Every structure is written in structure tokens, then in C-alpha cells.
Amino acid sequence: MNNKEKPIGFFDSGVGGISVLKESLRVLPNEDFVYFGDSLNAPYGTKDVNEVKKLTFNAVDFLLDKGAKVVVIACNTATSAAIDALREKYTDIPIIGIEPALKPAVEISRGKSIIIMATPMTLAEKKFSNLMDQYNKDVNIISLPCAGLVELIENGIIEGDQIQRYLKDKLKEFMQIDVASIVLGCTHYPFIKNELIKIVGEKTIIIDGSIGTVNELKRRLTRNNLLNEKKTKGIVTIHSSSINNSTIDLSYKLLKL
Ligand code: DGL
């Protein structure tokens, strides 16, 4: 098999990276994809950073064993913990990481506030403080760590009372301020976007990092001459570390939403 025909590897702590995979299928319909969700070990966002690093290296090794020509770390938490170390180790394949989409949020939010929802680890890591230093001069950026939300989504709870209660409680202190946009800095959160809109209204723009990440993926494939030239639709294979079969079913369900 030549390198162009190999699949694109995708990784997340669980089912969240499916939100990025979905965007990739739209932009790169002729590529094959192999996805690994580490649902057995999710959530990552409240773990120790070295543990997340170790789990991420294992996941990348798994994807390389499956023949991945490039790896997308479709997890903000794993990206903030491990991307530099990954790029140091795996020098011969492109590794793309997702990060909170602060740049587009700042561009549309002049003078108003931005809320960034992410895991506690993403918001605590150096990578995020660097990003903040770059953008918080022009706008008020509010960091909102959302421990516990990934667990609900991993259990397939993406709508209804429980999600409403969680979000209302998190957002209650910001309901009086002028929030122009909310950045979803965790790849699980796009699946609860509709519930979020019910609380903050249609006027608040909700942004996630998937478009930027997929554009970067396409650029890297092009630059490295790795685009699949086949004309037929690509194949998606999903793997999970979960012992529970319903996780794979949930992954395919979320992919079709
Ligand atoms: N989808 C992961 C992210 O983007 C969730 C991390 C977790 O498992 O806590 O940050």
C-alpha cells in the first residue's frame, strides 16, 4: 500500500473527537479514517498531566500500528498535555492537534466577553496561558472549567434535564454580562450545543476548533503529498478501549447526527 492510501488516524479520550471526524468527512470525503477513543480511561481532563501523556503515546502507537499516515489529536486536553513531546518522538509523521478556537472568537467579539468552556487540564496548561496572553488584551476572556460534563456525554446524555441543569448552574453567574461568543474548548461539547443555545440564545455565537483543525489537516496532507487520490467514498473504522459495546454504537450514532 502506498502512503497516500493509508488511513488518517484520529484520537480522543473518548467519543468527543467524533465531532472533529465529522467535519473531516465533509472536507476529505475520499480519505479512510481510523478512530481510537480511549473511553475506558475518560475523562482525561481531571487526571494528572503525566498520566494523560502516557495514555496519549499509547493511543498514537495504536494508530500507527493500524497504518495511520498522519495522526490528529482530536482532544484539546491531550494536545495541551502531549503535543510537543509527541512531535519530538514521532518525527516522520505529521501530528495535528486541536486547540481552543480563541482567534476566531476574538475577531467577532470586539469589546464584549468570550466564555471558554474546556476541561480543567486544558485551562491550566501552559499552552492555554500562551494563547490567552496572545488574545486577552482586546477582549474579556472568561475561563470556565467544566469538570463532569465529559462523563455525561460519554454516557450518551447529550440532551434533556441533566444537561440543562449542568449548563444552567455553570453559566448562571454570566447571564447578566454581554457575552458575544462561547468557545467550546473540548471536542465532546459540540454534541451539547443545542442545549447550550436554549440557555444563551441564538445571538451568542458558539465556536469550536474543528474547522481550523481540519483545514490544517488538509494543508498538511497536501504539503506532504499524502492526499488519497481515490474517487470512492472513504471508510471509517472506530475502535474504543471501552469494555462496553455501547460505546462503539454511541460513536457511530454521534457521527451520523
Ligand atoms: N474531548 C476531550 C477534549 O477535547 C475531553 C477530555 C476529557 O476526557 O476530559 O478536551
Side-chain angles (χ1 to χ4, degrees):
M1 188 191 266
N2 83 33
N3 282 346
K4 292 181 180 186
E5 290 163 4
K6 289 180 173 178
I8 295 170
F10 254 78
F11 163 61
D12 179 50
S13 64
V15 299
I18 298 284
S19 63
V20 189
L21 178 59
K22 213 153 124 175
E23 179 64 19
S24 304
L25 293 178
R26 204 181 57 76
V27 176
L28 299 161
N30 308 113
E31 296 288 342
D32 294 334
F33 293 90
V34 55
Y35 182 95
F36 175 66
D38 193 11
S39 290
L40 181 68
N41 293 301
Y44 278 14
T46 44
K47 283 190 162 55
D48 169 76
V49 69
N50 285 320
E51 193 181 350
V52 170
K53 239 185 214 169
K54 212 169 87 197
L55 293 168
T56 304
F57 273 90
N58 290 344
V60 171
D61 286 337
F62 175 88
L63 291 169
L64 294 179
D65 278 350
K66 297 283 172 206
K69 61 183 172 184
V70 37
V71 172
V72 179
I73 309 294
C75 176
N76 293 264
T77 307
T79 299
S80 55
I83 197 83
D84 295 337
L86 287 171
R87 287 182 178 143
E88 246 168 62
K89 179 173 176 194
Y90 304 99
T91 47
D92 48 1
I93 61 149
I95 299 187
I96 290 120
I98 192 164
E99 62 177 21
L102 268 189
K103 187 170 185 250
V106 168
E107 280 163 6
I108 55 157
S109 306
R110 299 252 166 244
K112 295 185 184 170
S113 297
I114 297 171
I115 293 177
I116 151 112
M117 295 171 64
T119 68
M121 188 183 297
T122 298
L123 297 174
E125 279 302 300
K126 182 95 188 96
K127 207 167 184 330
F128 183 69
S129 55
N130 289 344
L131 206 59
M132 276 290 251
D133 289 346
Q134 227 175 312
Y135 295 112
N136 69 359
K137 290 169 205 77
D138 311 321
V139 281
N140 176 32
I141 303 175
I142 301 159
S143 293
L144 189 59
C146 294
L149 188 50
V150 163
E151 287 91 321
L152 292 175
I153 299 164
E154 282 290 311
N155 282 311
I157 302 165
I158 56 169
E159 55 186 14
D161 288 354
Q162 240 178 313
I163 296 284
Q164 277 295 313
R165 271 200 306 276
Y166 182 98
L167 293 175
K168 276 186 185 149
D169 187 54
K170 278 280 158 194
L171 292 161
K172 61 177 186 276
E173 61 181 296
F174 310 112
M175 295 314 278
Q176 305 311 327
I177 61 171
D178 206 355
V179 174
S181 63
I182 297 180
V183 175
L184 304 181
C186 168
T187 54
H188 281 72
Y189 303 166
F191 296 118
I192 50 98
K193 187 173 166 178
N194 290 342
E195 294 293 329
L196 193 55
I197 293 171
K198 285 185 200 162
I199 296 168
V200 298
E202 303 271 353
K203 266 183 22 211
T204 308
I205 299 166
I206 299 172
I207 301 172
D208 67 68
S210 59
I211 292 179
T213 305
V214 174
N215 287 344
E216 176 61 11
L217 168 63
K218 191 174 179 183
R219 272 195 296 274
R220 294 293 289 277
L221 290 172
T222 310
R223 202 192 310 150
N224 289 282
N225 201 19
L226 283 173
L227 279 170
N228 198 326
E229 283 157 358
K230 73 173 175 181
K231 298 281 176 277
T232 51
K233 214 166 152 236
I235 297 161
V236 176
T237 314
I238 298 179
H239 300 270
S240 170
S241 58
S242 170
I243 41 169
N244 200 336
N245 278 342
S246 62
T247 307
I248 297 276
D249 296 342
L250 174 65
S251 305
Y252 283 106
K253 182 184 143 197
L254 293 174
L255 192 60
K256 288 195 193 104
L257 282 183

Coordinates of all heavy atoms in Angstrom, one line a residue, residues 141-176:
I141 N -11.8 37.6 28.4 CA -12.0 36.1 28.2 C -12.2 35.4 29.5 O -11.3 35.5 30.4 CB -10.8 35.5 27.4 CG1 -10.5 36.3 26.1 CG2 -10.9 34.0 27.2 CD1 -9.3 35.9 25.4
I142 N -13.3 34.7 29.7 CA -13.6 34.1 30.9 C -13.4 32.6 30.8 O -14.0 31.9 29.9 CB -15.1 34.3 31.3 CG1 -15.4 35.8 31.4 CG2 -15.5 33.5 32.5 CD1 -16.9 36.2 31.3
S143 N -12.5 32.0 31.6 CA -12.2 30.6 31.5 C -13.2 29.8 32.4 O -13.4 30.2 33.6 CB -10.8 30.2 32.1 OG -9.9 30.8 31.3
L144 N -13.9 28.8 31.8 CA -14.9 28.1 32.6 C -14.6 26.6 32.5 O -15.0 25.9 31.6 CB -16.3 28.4 31.9 CG -17.5 27.9 32.7 CD1 -17.6 28.5 34.1 CD2 -18.8 28.3 31.9
P145 N -13.9 26.1 33.6 CA -13.6 24.7 33.6 C -14.9 23.9 33.8 O -15.7 24.2 34.7 CB -12.6 24.5 34.8 CG -12.6 25.8 35.5 CD -13.3 26.8 34.7
C146 N -15.1 22.8 33.0 CA -16.4 22.1 33.1 C -16.1 20.6 33.5 O -16.5 19.7 32.7 CB -17.1 22.2 31.8 SG -17.6 23.8 31.4
A147 N -15.6 20.4 34.7 CA -15.4 19.0 35.2 C -16.8 18.4 35.2 O -17.8 19.0 35.6 CB -14.8 19.0 36.5
G148 N -16.9 17.1 34.8 CA -18.1 16.4 34.9 C -19.0 16.3 33.7 O -19.8 15.4 33.5
L149 N -18.7 17.2 32.7 CA -19.6 17.3 31.5 C -19.2 16.2 30.5 O -20.1 15.5 29.9 CB -19.4 18.7 30.9 CG -20.3 19.0 29.7 CD1 -21.8 18.7 30.0 CD2 -20.2 20.5 29.3
V150 N -17.9 15.9 30.4 CA -17.5 14.8 29.6 C -18.1 13.4 30.0 O -18.6 12.7 29.1 CB -15.9 14.7 29.6 CG1 -15.4 13.3 29.0 CG2 -15.3 15.8 28.8
E151 N -18.2 13.2 31.3 CA -18.8 12.0 31.8 C -20.2 11.8 31.3 O -20.7 10.7 30.9 CB -18.8 11.9 33.3 CG -17.4 11.7 33.9 CD -16.7 13.0 34.2 OE1 -16.8 14.0 33.4 OE2 -16.0 13.1 35.3
L152 N -21.0 12.9 31.3 CA -22.4 12.8 30.8 C -22.4 12.4 29.4 O -23.2 11.5 28.9 CB -23.1 14.1 31.0 CG -23.4 14.6 32.5 CD1 -24.0 16.0 32.5 CD2 -24.3 13.6 33.2
I153 N -21.6 13.1 28.6 CA -21.6 12.8 27.1 C -21.1 11.4 26.8 O -21.6 10.7 25.9 CB -20.8 13.9 26.4 CG1 -21.4 15.3 26.7 CG2 -20.7 13.7 24.9 CD1 -20.6 16.5 26.4
E154 N -20.1 11.0 27.5 CA -19.6 9.6 27.4 C -20.7 8.6 27.6 O -20.7 7.5 27.1 CB -18.4 9.3 28.3 CG -17.1 9.9 27.9 CD -16.5 9.2 26.6 OE1 -16.5 7.9 26.6 OE2 -16.1 9.9 25.7
N155 N -21.7 9.0 28.5 CA -22.8 8.1 28.7 C -24.0 8.3 27.8 O -25.1 7.8 28.0 CB -23.3 8.2 30.2 CG -22.3 7.5 31.1 OD1 -22.0 6.4 30.9 ND2 -21.9 8.2 32.2
G156 N -23.7 9.0 26.7 CA -24.8 9.2 25.7 C -25.8 10.3 26.1 O -26.8 10.4 25.4
I157 N -25.5 11.0 27.2 CA -26.5 12.0 27.6 C -26.1 13.4 27.0 O -25.2 14.0 27.4 CB -26.5 12.2 29.2 CG1 -26.9 10.8 29.8 CG2 -27.5 13.2 29.6 CD1 -26.6 10.7 31.3
I158 N -26.8 13.7 25.9 CA -26.5 14.9 25.2 C -27.6 15.9 25.1 O -27.5 17.0 24.6 CB -25.9 14.6 23.7 CG1 -26.9 13.8 22.9 CG2 -24.6 13.9 23.8 CD1 -26.6 13.7 21.4
E159 N -28.8 15.5 25.7 CA -29.9 16.4 25.8 C -30.7 16.1 27.0 O -30.5 15.1 27.6 CB -30.7 16.4 24.5 CG -31.2 15.0 24.2 CD -31.9 14.8 22.8 OE1 -31.8 15.8 22.0 OE2 -32.6 13.8 22.7
G160 N -31.6 17.0 27.3 CA -32.5 16.8 28.4 C -32.1 17.5 29.7 O -31.2 18.3 29.8
D161 N -32.9 17.1 30.8 CA -32.8 17.8 32.1 C -31.4 17.9 32.7 O -31.0 18.9 33.2 CB -33.7 17.2 33.1 CG -35.2 17.4 32.8 OD1 -35.4 18.3 31.8 OD2 -36.1 16.9 33.4
Q162 N -30.7 16.7 32.6 CA -29.4 16.7 33.3 C -28.5 17.7 32.7 O -27.7 18.4 33.4 CB -28.9 15.3 33.2 CG -28.6 14.6 34.5 CD -28.1 13.2 34.4 OE1 -28.7 12.4 33.6 NE2 -27.1 12.9 35.1
I163 N -28.4 17.7 31.4 CA -27.5 18.6 30.7 C -28.0 20.1 30.9 O -27.1 21.0 31.2 CB -27.5 18.4 29.1 CG1 -27.0 17.0 28.8 CG2 -26.8 19.4 28.4 CD1 -25.4 16.8 29.0
Q164 N -29.3 20.3 30.9 CA -29.8 21.7 31.2 C -29.4 22.2 32.6 O -28.9 23.3 32.7 CB -31.3 21.7 31.1 CG -31.8 21.9 29.6 CD -31.4 23.2 29.1 OE1 -31.6 24.3 29.7 NE2 -30.9 23.2 27.8
R165 N -29.5 21.3 33.6 CA -29.2 21.6 34.9 C -27.7 21.9 35.0 O -27.3 22.9 35.6 CB -29.5 20.5 35.9 CG -31.0 20.6 36.4 CD -31.1 19.7 37.7 NE -30.7 18.4 37.6 CZ -31.5 17.4 37.1 NH1 -32.7 17.7 36.7 NH2 -31.0 16.2 36.9
Y166 N -26.9 21.1 34.4 CA -25.4 21.3 34.5 C -25.1 22.6 33.9 O -24.3 23.4 34.5 CB -24.7 20.1 33.7 CG -23.2 20.3 33.8 CD1 -22.5 19.5 34.7 CD2 -22.5 21.2 33.0 CE1 -21.1 19.7 34.8 CE2 -21.1 21.4 33.1 CZ -20.4 20.6 34.0 OH -19.1 20.8 34.1
L167 N -25.6 22.9 32.7 CA -25.2 24.1 32.0 C -25.7 25.4 32.7 O -25.0 26.4 32.8 CB -25.7 24.1 30.5 CG -25.0 23.0 29.6 CD1 -25.7 23.0 28.3 CD2 -23.5 23.2 29.5
K168 N -26.9 25.3 33.2 CA -27.5 26.5 33.8 C -26.7 26.8 35.1 O -26.4 28.0 35.3 CB -29.0 26.2 34.2 CG -29.9 26.5 33.1 CD -31.3 26.4 33.5 CE -32.3 26.5 32.3 NZ -33.5 25.8 32.5
D169 N -26.3 25.8 35.8 CA -25.5 26.0 37.0 C -24.2 26.7 36.7 O -23.7 27.6 37.3 CB -25.3 24.7 37.7 CG -24.7 24.9 39.1 OD1 -25.2 25.7 39.9 OD2 -23.6 24.3 39.3
K170 N -23.5 26.1 35.6 CA -22.2 26.7 35.2 C -22.3 28.1 34.8 O -21.4 28.9 35.0 CB -21.6 25.8 34.0 CG -21.0 24.6 34.4 CD -19.6 24.8 34.9 CE -19.1 23.7 35.8 NZ -17.9 24.0 36.6
L171 N -23.4 28.4 34.0 CA -23.4 29.7 33.4 C -24.2 30.8 34.1 O -24.2 32.0 33.7 CB -24.1 29.5 32.0 CG -23.3 28.7 31.0 CD1 -24.1 28.2 29.9 CD2 -22.1 29.6 30.4
K172 N -24.8 30.4 35.3 CA -25.7 31.4 35.9 C -25.0 32.7 36.3 O -25.6 33.8 36.1 CB -26.4 30.8 37.2 CG -25.5 30.3 38.3 CD -26.3 29.8 39.4 CE -25.5 29.4 40.6 NZ -24.9 28.1 40.6
E173 N -23.7 32.7 36.7 CA -23.1 34.0 37.1 C -22.8 34.9 35.9 O -22.4 36.0 36.1 CB -21.9 33.7 38.0 CG -20.8 32.9 37.3 CD -19.6 32.7 38.2 OE1 -19.0 33.7 38.6 OE2 -19.3 31.5 38.5
F174 N -22.9 34.3 34.7 CA -22.6 35.1 33.5 C -23.8 35.6 32.7 O -23.6 36.2 31.6 CB -21.6 34.4 32.6 CG -20.5 33.8 33.3 CD1 -20.3 32.4 33.5 CD2 -19.5 34.6 33.9 CE1 -19.3 31.8 34.2 CE2 -18.4 34.0 34.6 CZ -18.3 32.6 34.7
M175 N -25.0 35.3 33.2 CA -26.2 35.6 32.4 C -26.4 37.1 32.3 O -27.1 37.6 31.4 CB -27.4 34.9 33.0 CG -27.4 33.4 33.0 SD -26.9 32.7 31.4 CE -28.4 32.8 30.4
Q176 N -25.8 37.9 33.2 CA -26.1 39.4 33.2 C -25.1 40.1 32.3 O -25.2 41.3 32.1 CB -26.0 40.0 34.6 CG -27.0 39.3 35.6 CD -28.4 39.2 35.1 OE1 -28.9 40.0 34.3 NE2 -29.1 38.1 35.5

